[in-house]
Amino acid sequence: MSVPTWARDALADVYDPCCQEKGISVIDMGLVRSVHVDQGRARVELLLTSGWCPFAARVLTDVKDRILAQPGISDAEVEIVWDEAWTTDRLSEKAVRVLRFLPPPAAVPDRDGYIAAHSLGRSDKS
């Protein structure tokens, strides 16, 4: 699926309220699956991280408003798609860095060493 550069730029500061304080946009979260335009009418497909997202309506409205504000767009439809599950592999590199997902425990043979190497405020003396 594709998201044109103009749409990425337009949605770069649209946030799911859960991620706004961390500066992770709907683009960084990988929530925008595709944007297609036909004769000025845009169709945006969104994935949700959870089917129970309490902020889905707000995100839909914010995305629609931002797409409608773009040159050449006269109408916009934003739809949540359910045929694909959102997974963490959709996150941008920025989102992965900010959210700091932990590896599976079996992948970390030295727990204390891992924590020391990845703690905020550690001092690198290399």
Side-chain angles (χ1 to χ4, degrees):
M1 302 292 171
S2 63
V3 180
T5 302
W6 67 266
R8 288 181 168 282
D9 293 345
L11 300 174
D13 61 354
V14 173
Y15 301 95
D16 177 313
C18 294
C19 297
Q20 187 167 3
E21 71 181 35
K22 294 184 182 325
I24 302 172
S25 72
V26 295
I27 294 294
D28 290 322
M29 286 294 296
L31 300 181
V32 182
R33 181 166 83 167
S34 68
V35 177
H36 299 283
V37 178
D38 184 20
Q39 299 180 2
R41 181 175 168 82
R43 181 170 186 274
V44 181
E45 294 181 326
L46 293 181
L47 299 169
L48 297 179
T49 56
S50 163
W52 299 102
C53 176
F55 303 111
R58 177 175 168 187
V59 172
L60 289 168
T61 300
D62 290 350
V63 167
K64 182 175 183 174
D65 290 347
R66 191 59 57 90
I67 293 296
L68 279 171
Q70 301 310 300
I73 303 298
S74 58
D75 193 15
E77 171 188 5
V78 181
E79 177 184 354
I80 298 170
V81 293
W82 302 104
D83 63 345
E84 177 183 357
W86 180 89
T87 60
T88 57
D89 65 323
R90 296 187 60 85
L91 293 169
S92 70
E93 289 181 23
K94 172 189 173 184
V96 170
R97 278 193 316 273
V98 170
L99 295 173
R100 295 171 34 123
F101 283 96
L102 298 175
V108 183
D110 177 9
R111 178 187 173 277
D112 293 335
Y114 181 88
I115 291 170
H118 294 89
S119 294
L120 291 176
R122 74 172 202 271
S123 61
D124 292 325
K125 297 184 179 177
S126 48

